[in-house]
Amino acid sequence: SIHINKNTVKSVHGIEVYTPDNINYDFAKIIDEISPLTNTICLHLMGEPLLHPNLKEIFKICRDKNLNVYLATNGTLIKQNLDLLKTGCATRISVSLHSFEANTLKIGLDEYLQQVFECAKQITKAKHTFVELRLWNQSQKTSATTTAKNSLNQYIIDKACAFFDTQIKWDG
C-alpha cells in the first residue's frame, strides 16, 4: 500500500517522500513499478487521503493501470468529495466512524453520521463501490488531548440500523 496525506506520499517502507508538486510524476513512477506485482492499492494512514490536492489525478493514474483502489477515510470530507467518489474511482471505501471523536468538527455526531450514511448510499448506487462503515473496538489515543472511545458504538450502530433499515446484532 501507499501512504498518502496532504503533504507527502511514502512508499510502504517509508523510504521515499514526495511533495504535492511532484506527486503526479512520482506517484505514476511508483505505480508503474508496483502494478506488475499487485492489482490493488490502498490509500490510507499517515493523513486523510481525501485532503490530498491531487486525489483525482491519483485515481486516474491507478485507473490507467487497471488497479483497484481501496480508500480508508475518516469520513469528514466525504460529502465534499462525493462527486468524485460516485465515479467508481475506488473499489472499496472504508469509513472509520469513530474518527468523529478524534476530530474537531463544526457539526454534531448526528449530522456527521447522516452525511456519511447519505454519501455511502449514493456512492454504492452510482457505481460498483463497496462502502464499509467501521467502528473501533478499543479506545484509541489519537492525540495528547483526544481519545476515541467505544462508548458511542451502540449509539452509532442504532443510527446506522435506523438509516439503512436493518438490524445488527452487537455483542459489544
Side-chain angles (χ1 to χ4, degrees):
S1 63
I2 293 175
H3 306 292
I4 273 190
N5 70 20
K6 188 174 181 178
N7 298 316
T8 61
V9 174
K10 294 182 181 183
S11 70
V12 171
H13 303 289
I15 296 169
E16 301 179 56
V17 177
Y18 304 99
T19 66
D21 296 335
N22 62 7
I23 181 67
N24 289 342
Y25 170 76
D26 293 324
F27 186 79
K29 181 180 170 194
I30 292 169
I31 293 301
D32 282 342
E33 292 173 9
I34 67 168
S35 61
L37 307 172
T38 186
N39 64 353
T40 303
I41 68 160
C42 300
L43 304 177
H44 68 99
L45 300 175
M46 310 233 353
E48 170 56 48
L50 295 178
L51 271 174
H52 200 285
N54 296 326
L55 187 61
K56 188 174 183 177
E57 292 81 11
I58 288 169
F59 282 129
K60 182 186 180 318
I61 291 166
C62 294
R63 184 179 57 246
D64 290 348
K65 288 293 185 176
N66 296 314
L67 291 173
N68 296 313
V69 176
Y70 292 176
L71 175 75
T73 177
N74 62 28
T76 58
L77 298 173
I78 198 166
K79 185 176 180 180
Q80 293 91 321
N81 288 279
L82 183 58
D83 289 339
L84 175 62
L85 298 174
K86 284 171 41 177
T87 66
C89 55
T91 308
R92 178 170 58 191
I93 300 170
S94 181
V95 182
S96 176
L97 297 176
H98 264 105
S99 64
F100 176 84
E101 293 178 272
N103 286 281
T104 53
L105 301 177
K106 294 180 180 175
I107 61 173
L109 177 60
D110 288 341
E111 187 177 349
Y112 163 78
L113 292 173
Q114 185 71 23
Q115 283 183 12
V116 169
F117 297 160
E118 286 284 347
C119 291
K121 189 179 261 189
Q122 289 183 45
I123 291 165
T124 57
K125 281 185 179 180
K127 290 287 183 177
H128 182 71
T129 300
F130 178 79
V131 178
E132 166 186 75
L133 305 174
R134 294 183 300 122
L135 292 172
W136 300 340
N137 62 6
Q138 296 179 339
S139 293
Q140 300 280 328
K141 186 78 170 167
T142 58
S143 72
T145 59
T146 307
T147 300
K149 302 173 184 148
N150 294 338
S151 59
L152 294 176
N153 280 1
Q154 190 59 56
Y155 182 80
I156 293 170
I157 289 169
D158 292 345
K159 287 291 191 180
C161 288
F163 182 88
F164 293 105
D165 192 27
T166 190
Q167 294 180 348
I168 300 172
K169 190 172 190 173
W170 172 250
D171 295 329

